[in-house]
Amino acid sequence: MTDIYDPTRTAVLLVDPYNDFLSEGGKIWPAVREVATGVGLLDNLRAVVAAGRRAELRTVFVPHRRWQEGDYENWDHPNPTQRLVQERHSFARGTWGGEFHQDLQPADGDVIVQEHWAQSGFANTDLDFRLKQHGITHVIVIGLLANTCIESTSRYAMELGYHVTLVRDATAAFRPEMMHAAHELNGPTYAHALTTTAELLRTLEPKNGEH
């Protein structure tokens, strides 16, 4: 199992680790709080990122568009989520809510790709190009939200030929049924591996010569 995550070919994709999603006082935190605290989201995100770095996997930040004045105005057909962003100014550029969580900051050697406008971290960004330039073939996708950006980014990754791992408790959604749909109904149709943080850590950090 360890061989799946060759450090020269594997990246952890950290999707939308913004204060608005992850911190008390964030605009969207109240909507994800129950599920996020139930699965231990923040601790698990910290653990996966730290373990990935210890295993010398590439860490790639996959950020959503930071709202700024004029976004989505005069668009032909902004989607429902974009209309909500326009209304509540989610992840506003230059604000605390639009900053990465203090415990999920880029480190030397990390990659920060172009911001995605909708749900897929690949659509209209340089993510695929950057991954290919680093020789990445396997991605471990974590962050927010399970049934939107995580699912869309992961499906797109599969379509582009990447090996995709989903981590059930290193993501969250607005309701438990959304998590169920993301992991039990939809995830198995495209992900090559579905795991938990604890299982992933055992894989990335085998003890006593275990493999």
Side-chain angles (χ1 to χ4, degrees):
M1 186 69 173
T2 310
D3 294 340
I4 291 177
Y5 303 115
D6 177 344
T8 66
R9 301 174 65 199
T10 306
V12 174
L13 304 189
L14 179 55
V15 181
D16 299 349
Y18 289 122
N19 283 320
D20 269 347
F21 262 147
L22 292 169
S23 300
E24 198 68 46
K27 288 188 175 78
I28 311 174
W29 171 246
V32 299
R33 179 192 287 113
E34 182 178 355
V35 171
T37 55
V39 300
L41 172 64
L42 196 50
D43 284 343
N44 292 334
L45 291 176
R46 293 185 189 106
V48 173
V49 170
R53 286 177 173 150
R54 286 193 295 272
E56 300 184 342
L57 309 185
R58 182 77 57 179
T59 301
V60 179
F61 283 71
V62 183
H64 198 280
R65 167 75 177 182
R66 291 172 168 90
W67 178 87
Q68 59 190 51
E69 200 69 42
D71 280 358
Y72 312 113
E73 292 179 9
N74 303 314
W75 277 35
D76 188 53
H77 48 272
N79 68 42
T81 299
Q82 289 166 338
R83 290 191 184 279
L84 284 174
V85 169
Q86 186 179 20
E87 183 179 303
R88 66 190 174 200
H89 304 170
S90 310
F91 326 124
R93 193 176 303 279
T95 70
W96 170 84
E99 295 174 358
F100 297 143
H101 187 280
Q102 63 180 2
D103 296 339
L104 300 167
Q105 293 289 314
D108 289 346
D110 290 353
V111 174
I112 304 175
V113 302
Q114 293 171 346
E115 298 173 358
H116 51 275
W117 283 89
Q119 296 178 354
S120 172
F122 287 94
N124 305 306
T125 77
D126 58 345
L127 178 54
D128 183 50
F129 175 78
R130 301 287 291 276
L131 293 177
K132 284 183 167 59
Q133 288 298 318
H134 287 292
I136 300 300
T137 58
H138 291 50
V139 292
I140 300 168
V141 190
I142 60 174
L144 285 305
L145 290 163
N147 60 312
T148 57
C149 290
I150 296 299
E151 180 166 334
S152 187
T153 298
S154 299
R155 278 185 182 278
Y156 211 129
M158 175 275 292
E159 297 284 2
L160 290 170
Y162 294 94
H163 179 286
V164 176
T165 295
L166 297 179
V167 187
R168 298 171 188 269
D169 53 3
T171 186
F174 295 156
R175 299 196 301 272
E177 54 266 38
M178 292 175 171
M179 291 283 275
H180 176 79
H183 300 132
E184 307 308 321
L185 303 181
N186 297 341
T189 69
Y190 64 84
H192 302 83
L194 285 94
T195 187
T196 65
T197 296
E199 291 167 347
L200 181 64
L201 296 188
R202 285 195 293 271
T203 299
L204 294 178
E205 302 176 327
K207 301 293 190 295
N208 302 320
E210 295 176 2
H211 295 283

